[in-house]
Each structure stands twice: as structure tokens, then as C-alpha cells.
Amino acid sequence: MNVARQIEQYLPRQLMELVKDISGQAAKQGQRVYLVGGIVRDLLLGYPNFDLDLVVEGDAVKLAQQVAEVSQAKLLAHHRFGTAKLKYENFTLDLATARKETYARPGVLPAVTPGTLKNDLIRRDFTINAMAISVAANDYGELVDPYSGISDLEHRLIRILHTESFRDDATRILRGVRYEQRFGFEFETQTAQLLKRDIHLLDTISGDRIRHELELILKEKQPELVIKRLGELGVLTRISSSLKGDGWLAKKFNKARRLKKPTQLSSLYFCLLVYSLGEKEIEQFLARLNISVKLSRAMRDTLSLKTGLPLLDKPSLRPSEIYYLLRQYETLAIQANAIASDSSVVNHNLRLFLTKLRYVRTSLDGEELKKLGISPGPEMGKVLQILHKAKLDGEVRTKGDEKRLALSLWMKLEW
Ligand code: ATP
Ligand code: MG
């Protein structure tokens, strides 16, 4: 099967010219270059994707170095992994040396040696991700599909390449569910059985790798579908015993998407994901997934603010009271609670803090207080604090108001 037509239809011409150049240089040394993995799958599905992964039968790093020398591309090489990135003005290309992998036991990373394209494809997760397209001049666009990925694409199936696949790397369970839900596919029968058989091997996977897969899931358009399915399959409880992927989460994820800028969305999802965990469970979760200090703080804050929400469930709170109740919490934790809480009063108060109160500053600073004759020291600190409170509560508005209040406070304090 030749897919040159699909390449022309879906990929920018400029990008493919670069790929052809690289392939041409490789050919001079008897090396071959292929498009592989996600780009091939998405091309065949007709989905937009400009993340091009190239596999080189030969030496990817050396090839990338040569390409960088004669072009405008910036080179980032990882000799140890046999991979290189070429950064052009508008595109980035990932090159990898075709590799052969052998797994000593479940959970550990494989031993890697250079190999053929076929070796490189058999080490992959699913048949739909184990296809390649030649970009060589003599057979440009020719599909290499040794494991019938195209047939599985047509039948909308997620299928592993051999019965030991999940044992070799149980993160593939998480990846499989991600693709299943992204594309609306199903696990092929035997793959589903093996997934059940091998689910316990998730315990052998390091926290960093589980977290990485969870981060990828949270980058999906609708991660709640993946989380729900992971719940049904018994994967979630394997990661943390009380995690749930129920309708509540779906509703809240939807709400989060409507509110958040995409950059921090996945941290917000993390906070919502753990919303029903207890004190002990959250600590286990943070440790198991080796969550960063910063995100851990936001997740712990989310739960401690959750227990404090009744204090915010009063319509008569003054703005300064809201401010003092919330100022010690991470912004992310406040956002998560604003999404999670179903009380409109709580919501109003949290939003008031997020949109206004946290930005309130006095017009006067220490320097200006000095000019008014107020000397630096603890008293000045006190004056500034009262000014800030008055500003929050709308008792002072203009700089003149602040000056008058500052001077009258100072007189009282001096006595
Ligand atoms: P996505 O659209 O999610 O980026 P992708 O197919 O590009 O999909 P990547 O995570 O970028 O996925 O990985 C690139 C390729 O590497 C995959 O297509 C797959 O063939 C292979 N791969 C990635 N992770 C694994 C794994 N754990 N086991 C086997 N193969 C993997
Ligand atoms: Mg990719």
C-alpha cells in the first residue's frame, strides 16, 4: 500500500521537503529513513498531527549531525539513547536509531541495541502504533505494516503485538486505555484478557513512569473518559485505592476546561482527581507517583481547604475575612475548590478572592509613609496592614483616603 497521496494531503509540503532531504543524505551512506508511530496512525486516520518521528536504520545521531551542518537546523543529540532532535524555524523532527529491545523482567527498562526497522516496530505498544512509511526516493510513501495495524485501524481495535507485551511494560495498559478512549476504539479480545491478567504488574512500574502516563492522559481532550475507563478496568484502584473516575469527576473536569487556561489545566485536573482522598491516601498517592513539591503543595492545600469550606459558606463575610481565610492557600487549590464546591455562596467567595481580592494593593507603600513622617518599624507595618484591610473592605478608595487613614492611625499608635 502506498500513502504518498495522504502525505501530500495532510502534511505541509515544506516539512516533507526537509524529510526528503534527510532521507537523501541517509541514502548516500546506505541508511534508510522511515516515518513511524503516531504520525503514521494519524495520517491513516486523517487526523492532524505534525509531530514527526523518524526512525533511521543506521545511526540517527550521526545523520542528524550531518544534516545540521548543511542546514539551518539546530541539533539536540542524545548519544546514549541514539536519538536526536532537529529544530527548524517552523518544525521539529525527532530522529531515532532503529533499536532492538530485550526485557530482563517486568517493570525494568529494556536492554537496547541497534536493530532493523522490524526490530524497532516489534518493541512498540500496539499494532496501530507499529507501522512505518518509507520516505526513500525509490519507494516513497510505501507503508510498512508487519503486524496488520491497518486492519486494526479499520476495525477500530487496540491490540498488543505479543502476549508478553504488558509484562514487558505495564505502562502500556495506561497507554492502551488512552488510545481506546481518544479514538473510540476497543481492546481486541485477547488483549483485553491479557490486560486483566497483567494489571497487577502496574505495581512494578516506577512512580515517575506512572505519573508520566497520567500526565499524558490529562493532556487528552477528554481525560475523564480515560479515567472512567481506568476505573471500570480496576486500574485506578491499583494506583491508589480510593481513586474514582465517576460522573462527578466528569462534570468537574468539564467545568475546569471552561475556566482554565490550558497551561495549568493538567495540574488542576490532578487536584480534582484526588478531591475525594483522605489524609493518609493523599500522602500515599503523592509518594507513589513522586509528585513534585509544588504540585504536592497544591494538592494538599486542595484537601485542607476542602475541610475549611464551611467557614466560607456564609453570605455575610467581609472581603477582608475572605482574604484572610484564603491567603495561605495555593491559587490552584482555591481554583480546584471553586470548581468542586456545589455551594453558590462558597463559590462566590472563592471567585471574589481569585478575581479581585488577591490583587488588592494599597496605593501607599513604606517609602510614601516615610514622606508622611511615619518612621519605619513595627508600627509602620501595622499601619500598612490596616490600610490593606480597609482597602479590601472598600473603606478607603483613593490615595487621599489612605493618607488620611494612615496619619490618624499613626497618631493613635504614637500615643
Ligand atoms: P500521541 O499521539 O499520544 O503522541 P504517539 O504514538 O506519538 O501518540 P508517543 O508517546 O509520542 O505516542 O510515542 C511514540 C511511539 O513510541 C508510539 O507510537 C509507540 O510506537 C512508541 N511507544 C511509546 N511508548 C511506548 C511503550 N511504553 N511501549 C512501546 N512502545 C511505545
Ligand atoms: Mg507523539
Side-chain angles (χ1 to χ4, degrees):
M1 181 171 166
N2 192 291
V3 297
R5 195 179 49 79
Q6 282 92 324
I7 294 179
E8 196 147 307
Q9 188 180 352
Y10 293 108
L11 294 178
R13 182 180 296 267
Q14 202 192 0
L15 178 59
M16 288 318 293
E17 288 308 319
L18 295 175
V19 172
K20 282 184 195 167
D21 279 352
I22 294 174
S23 174
Q25 291 211 39
K28 284 185 202 149
Q29 293 147 33
Q31 304 188 4
R32 294 188 56 99
V33 177
Y34 300 86
L35 291 175
V36 279
I39 183 66
V40 180
R41 176 198 69 214
D42 288 346
L43 207 57
L44 294 166
L45 286 170
Y47 284 14
N49 179 353
F50 300 152
D51 274 346
L52 260 55
D53 284 312
L54 300 171
V55 154
V56 183
E57 276 184 324
D59 184 339
V61 174
K62 217 161 110 195
L63 176 62
Q65 279 167 340
Q66 289 165 351
V67 172
E69 270 167 31
V70 297
S71 71
Q72 301 291 323
K74 273 204 196 122
L75 172 73
L76 267 167
H78 287 286
H79 289 273
R80 201 155 75 85
F81 298 111
T83 61
K85 223 180 238 308
L86 285 170
K87 289 193 168 193
Y88 297 87
E89 203 182 332
N90 299 320
F91 305 105
T92 303
L93 294 173
D94 284 297
L95 283 78
T97 304
R99 56 203 264 185
K100 190 175 171 187
E101 289 183 352
T102 354
Y103 287 84
R105 64 190 155 81
V108 298
L109 289 176
V112 176
T113 44
T116 60
L117 175 68
K118 209 159 172 216
N119 294 144
D120 196 278
L121 293 178
I122 189 77
R123 73 178 176 87
R124 288 172 185 262
D125 46 6
F126 304 105
T127 58
I128 58 166
N129 285 345
M131 294 180 272
I133 298 172
S134 170
V135 287
N138 64 338
D139 61 356
Y140 183 81
E142 207 52 40
L143 185 73
V144 184
D145 180 19
Y147 309 107
S148 306
I150 191 116
S151 154
D152 285 336
L153 270 187
E154 278 160 9
H155 296 98
R156 312 176 72 78
L157 292 173
I158 308 288
R159 185 197 305 265
I160 44 178
L161 301 186
H162 55 88
T163 56
E164 301 309 293
S165 183
F166 292 134
R167 290 193 168 163
D168 285 346
D169 178 359
T171 64
R172 290 171 185 165
I173 293 174
L174 299 169
R175 297 178 62 83
V177 177
R178 181 159 63 88
Y179 292 120
E180 184 204 42
Q181 294 305 309
R182 183 199 294 176
F183 297 126
F185 283 17
E186 268 177 47
F187 281 106
E188 164 277 329
T189 317
Q190 197 195 11
T191 300
Q193 284 164 1
L194 293 168
L195 186 153
K196 290 226 165 81
R197 180 196 73 182
D198 292 337
I199 230 171
H200 66 280
L201 291 169
L202 278 167
D203 297 355
T204 63
I205 304 294
S206 74
D208 286 338
R209 296 192 67 218
I210 299 257
R211 192 194 60 251
H212 177 65
E213 290 303 328
L214 210 49
E215 285 164 351
L216 291 178
I217 288 168
L218 295 179
K219 282 197 189 121
E220 292 289 315
K221 275 210 182 89
Q222 286 185 283
E224 62 273 19
L225 300 180
V226 185
I227 307 271
K228 176 166 179 252
R229 183 78 168 118
L230 290 173
E232 288 166 3
L233 290 166
V235 177
L236 276 191
T237 46
R238 202 83 229 168
I239 297 175
S240 172
S241 58
S242 311
L243 283 184
K244 284 197 220 60
D246 53 13
W248 182 88
L249 197 73
K251 210 168 87 191
K252 300 304 177 182
F253 272 25
N254 251 304
K255 203 166 158 193
R257 274 198 291 278
R258 274 183 268 130
L259 295 175
K260 277 302 290 175
K261 286 181 294 191
T263 46
Q264 270 191 73
L265 188 59
S266 95
S267 302
L268 191 58
Y269 283 149
F270 260 114
C271 293
L272 291 168
L273 184 63
V274 298
Y275 204 71
S276 59
L277 298 195
E279 233 169 86
K280 241 194 181 154
E281 292 160 340
I282 181 73
E283 289 310 319
Q284 280 165 354
F285 181 88
L286 298 176
R288 172 68 180 102
L289 268 65
N290 196 19
I291 303 277
S292 73
V293 173
K294 192 168 169 353
L295 184 56
S296 293
R297 197 182 308 136
M299 287 162 88
R300 286 194 189 102
D301 268 10
T302 300
L303 299 189
S304 75
L305 176 56
K306 178 189 171 191
T307 41
L309 286 186
L311 294 173
L312 284 148
D313 207 356
K314 295 179 203 144
S316 57
L317 287 176
R318 292 163 72 82
S320 59
E321 291 178 295
I322 299 171
Y323 179 81
Y324 294 127
L325 281 169
L326 291 175
R327 67 171 168 181
Q328 78 266 33
Y329 294 107
E330 292 284 317
T331 304
L332 211 52
I334 301 173
Q335 288 167 332
N337 276 281
I339 292 165
S341 161
D342 291 321
S343 149
S344 59
V345 174
V346 168
N347 261 306
H348 173 267
N349 290 340
L350 295 176
R351 280 189 197 295
L352 185 65
F353 178 87
L354 288 170
T355 55
K356 292 214 177 96
L357 303 182
R358 67 178 166 133
Y359 301 115
V360 169
R361 302 280 181 274
T362 54
S363 312
L364 297 180
D365 58 12
E367 280 308 307
E368 285 179 283
L369 289 185
K370 267 202 272 181
K371 283 186 210 150
L372 291 177
I374 300 177
S375 38
E379 277 91 4
M380 184 195 265
K382 187 98 193 148
V383 170
L384 280 169
Q385 198 195 331
I386 298 174
L387 279 183
H388 183 237
K389 181 167 179 284
K391 182 108 183 211
L392 283 167
D393 290 335
E395 290 161 0
V396 294
R397 290 183 192 281
T398 63
K399 202 163 172 176
D401 291 347
E402 286 189 26
K403 278 185 187 169
R404 274 187 292 280
L405 178 60
L407 286 171
S408 79
L409 287 167
W410 178 243
M411 307 254 265
K412 275 190 222 151
L413 286 170
E414 263 202 323
W415 290 104

